Amino acid sequence: MPSRSASVVCLLVFLLVSPVSIPSAWSADLENTLAIDLHDPAVLQEATRILTEEVKLAARAQTYVIVDLVDRAVVIKGRGAELHRFPIAQWSAAHLAEVSTMFRLQARPPVSRRKIEPAAGDQPPVSLDDMPTDFTLTFSPSLSVAVHPSASEDFWRWLRFTGRDWWAWLKGWARRLATGTEPSAQPVVRLTLTPHDAQSLAWTVTEGMPFLVRRASAETS
Amino acid sequence: MKRILAALCATSIGLVLLVLAGSLPATVASTVPIVEVDQAALRVLQSRYRALSKQLSQLMPGQPYIVVDTARNHLYIKRRDQVLLDALASTGSGTILDKPGEAKGQWIFDTPRGEFAVQTKLVNPVWVKPDWAFVEEGLAIPKSAADRIEPGVLGEYALGFGKGYFIHGTLYPRLLGKNVTHGCIRLNDDDLKSVYQLARVGTPIMIF
């Protein structure tokens, strides 16, 4: 009898203690989705902002994109679940403080579609290779996300893209010199992706797709 | 001589651009401002963050769901982050076909993107050929519905997710992995059977 009582007591103690003592990775994940330092107020505030917006998007039947400048990734998501991730090799941005809301893509990068000629047999389909490796996505409200390859992967495209950025800067500087006024703050995010990932992103995005940008405290990476 | 000078000028400009490109100027300092909060406010923020994380996690499908990657032509069945099935698929070709008799009417053969749900589950489905299937082959569109029926081309099962789009089988498994369909999602026989068994009416399908 005493040994049976002891066994029952041990079992009860085990049942009471085990939910507390056994580490629950899943419940930890539930409460820290972005795996951030919960004692860093700036990081916490930004993460909270992103989650507030994401919860609204995840509550609806749609896919959406998070440009995560902290974890350096472009993430395609639906209902809070990660569907695909593209690593960001490098990024830079201007007027990041203006990027505090949800944006909707105005138009996906253009792709030339092949027209089927009736009875002419199979037509070559559109594939990833048809998508551009450098492009600019424009959003409402005002935001531009410029995507381009690195210099090592496609030097001429990179040079063209960099030259375009410098030309825009020169025009802004000349305007300030001529008029004495600052141009309105247009937020811009520039992403360096591999050509394959850039083409994948161009393929994936659709008109009206919601985008969120998780900001980092620095302006470049 | 002039050519040499022009080449030297062009090279110098290029080198200057290259050197300066490494440090593109920001027009205005625009870093996210450093936040200083007291401990009580920090605790409130932490609490809010945890609640939002939990809320987001609860929005994820609790049951298995289908993910279709149209760029890489793969179909996955997942439960939370776990992949239960990874299947090679074929998705929309992205080509266009003019509608006869309409100046600007076109069919665009894309697999639709976004979130959908399994609406129907069919066994031994029969293809009822739409108008484009005849136009594409240069044939007249039949008046009789019976002339549209073509059995045996969709495989043993089909799962409909709205507007005439289905996950179904194929007679051409060698074309799996390519964008060759008119918008539907094709799988081989074994994967199709697995999807049919795992999915229910209402199972979410997320397509990107």
Side-chain angles (χ1 to χ4, degrees):
Chain A
M1 282 300 280
S3 62
R4 189 186 283 186
S5 303
S7 304
V8 170
V9 168
C10 283
L11 181 62
L12 280 171
V13 168
F14 174 77
L15 285 173
L16 281 169
V17 167
S18 58
V20 174
S21 64
I22 295 172
S24 172
W26 182 241
S27 68
D29 284 349
L30 279 180
E31 295 192 348
N32 192 355
T33 304
L34 296 172
I36 60 167
D37 177 3
L38 295 174
H39 300 285
D40 186 332
V43 168
L44 193 54
Q45 189 156 65
E46 178 63 7
T48 304
R49 180 190 73 80
I50 280 291
L51 281 183
T52 304
E53 296 293 333
E54 189 179 355
V55 161
K56 294 179 210 169
L57 295 178
R60 301 179 68 179
Q62 62 187 341
T63 51
Y64 54 92
V65 176
I66 298 182
V67 179
D68 191 333
L69 301 180
V70 175
D71 288 346
R72 290 169 62 162
V74 177
V75 190
I76 315 296
K77 299 186 87 170
R79 298 282 185 184
E82 181 174 311
L83 306 180
H84 196 75
R85 170 179 288 254
F86 311 105
I88 298 171
Q90 257 185 313
W91 64 266
S92 65
H95 309 291
L96 260 186
E98 314 298 323
V99 181
S100 59
T101 182
M102 186 267 288
F103 297 87
R104 285 205 183 264
L105 182 63
Q106 291 189 317
R108 64 185 298 207
V111 57
S112 66
R113 295 174 180 276
R114 287 176 262 287
K115 188 177 279 196
I116 297 174
E117 293 302 325
D122 287 338
Q123 307 291 328
V126 178
S127 70
L128 265 187
D129 292 338
D130 295 306
M131 306 310 291
T133 57
D134 68 280
F135 50 89
T136 299
L137 303 174
T138 53
F139 297 85
S140 174
S142 183
L143 167 69
S144 293
V145 173
V147 176
H148 61 91
S150 64
S152 57
E153 279 172 325
D154 194 334
F155 175 74
W156 295 110
R157 282 193 194 280
W158 170 85
L159 187 63
R160 190 180 79 190
F161 222 87
T162 308
R164 213 185 300 162
D165 277 344
W166 268 99
W167 180 244
W169 180 82
L170 270 170
K171 283 201 302 188
W173 174 79
R175 201 176 302 129
R176 278 198 297 281
L177 202 62
T179 64
T181 54
E182 287 287 338
S184 58
Q186 299 272 345
V188 176
V189 177
R190 298 176 203 91
L191 304 177
T192 302
L193 305 182
T194 63
H196 179 81
D197 285 344
Q199 288 173 315
S200 290
L201 181 60
W203 178 284
T204 297
V205 297
T206 54
E207 204 173 296
M209 196 170 195
F211 269 64
L212 297 174
V213 179
R214 184 183 173 202
R215 302 169 299 185
S217 50
E219 264 206 337
T220 59
S221 148
Chain B
M1 190 61 179
K2 281 183 188 174
R3 277 190 204 170
I4 294 169
L5 279 173
L8 278 172
C9 275
T11 309
S12 307
I13 291 168
L15 281 171
V16 166
L17 275 176
L18 270 172
V19 166
L20 294 176
S23 55
L24 277 174
T27 51
V28 175
S30 60
T31 53
V32 177
I34 293 172
V35 176
E36 294 188 9
V37 295
D38 60 26
Q39 286 304 307
L42 184 64
R43 276 194 294 276
V44 168
L45 211 50
Q46 287 170 344
S47 175
R48 173 133 179 84
Y49 172 79
R50 285 197 185 99
L52 285 167
S53 288
K54 206 164 181 175
Q55 198 178 351
L56 187 68
S57 182
Q58 286 164 350
L59 286 169
M60 278 181 70
Q63 55 177 316
Y65 59 99
I66 298 170
V67 178
V68 180
D69 181 346
T70 61
R72 280 151 286 277
N73 287 295
H74 270 256
L75 179 147
Y76 305 93
I77 297 188
K78 297 177 82 172
R79 183 190 288 124
R80 289 285 179 180
D81 292 332
Q82 187 192 5
V83 177
L84 303 177
L85 175 74
D86 177 355
L88 195 61
S90 282
T91 61
S93 66
T95 49
I96 51 180
L97 176 66
D98 287 336
K99 290 185 180 176
E102 291 182 36
K104 291 187 178 178
Q106 286 181 328
W107 287 287
I108 302 176
F109 299 125
D110 277 338
T111 297
R113 316 286 176 78
E115 184 185 323
F116 308 88
V118 173
Q119 295 183 0
T120 52
K121 291 179 70 177
L122 308 173
V123 180
N124 293 325
V126 165
W127 189 27
V128 180
K129 292 172 70 170
D131 289 354
W132 55 254
F134 297 95
V135 173
E136 188 181 41
E137 296 193 16
L139 300 171
I141 297 170
K143 293 189 169 48
S144 161
D147 292 335
R148 292 178 179 267
I149 292 176
E150 191 161 325
V153 296
L154 299 181
E156 283 187 58
Y157 309 99
L159 296 94
F161 56 95
K163 295 186 180 174
Y165 294 104
F166 288 83
I167 298 170
H168 61 70
T170 179
L171 294 175
Y172 310 105
R174 63 183 167 80
L175 294 179
L176 291 172
K178 297 185 167 70
N179 295 87
V180 293
T181 79
H182 297 86
C184 287
I185 300 160
R186 295 180 197 166
L187 299 173
N188 69 30
D189 292 344
D190 290 339
D191 290 332
L192 180 63
K193 187 174 182 180
S194 299
V195 172
Y196 184 85
Q197 288 171 340
L198 281 167
R200 303 176 197 175
V201 171
T203 291
I205 304 175
M206 297 188 213
I207 306 175
F208 68 94

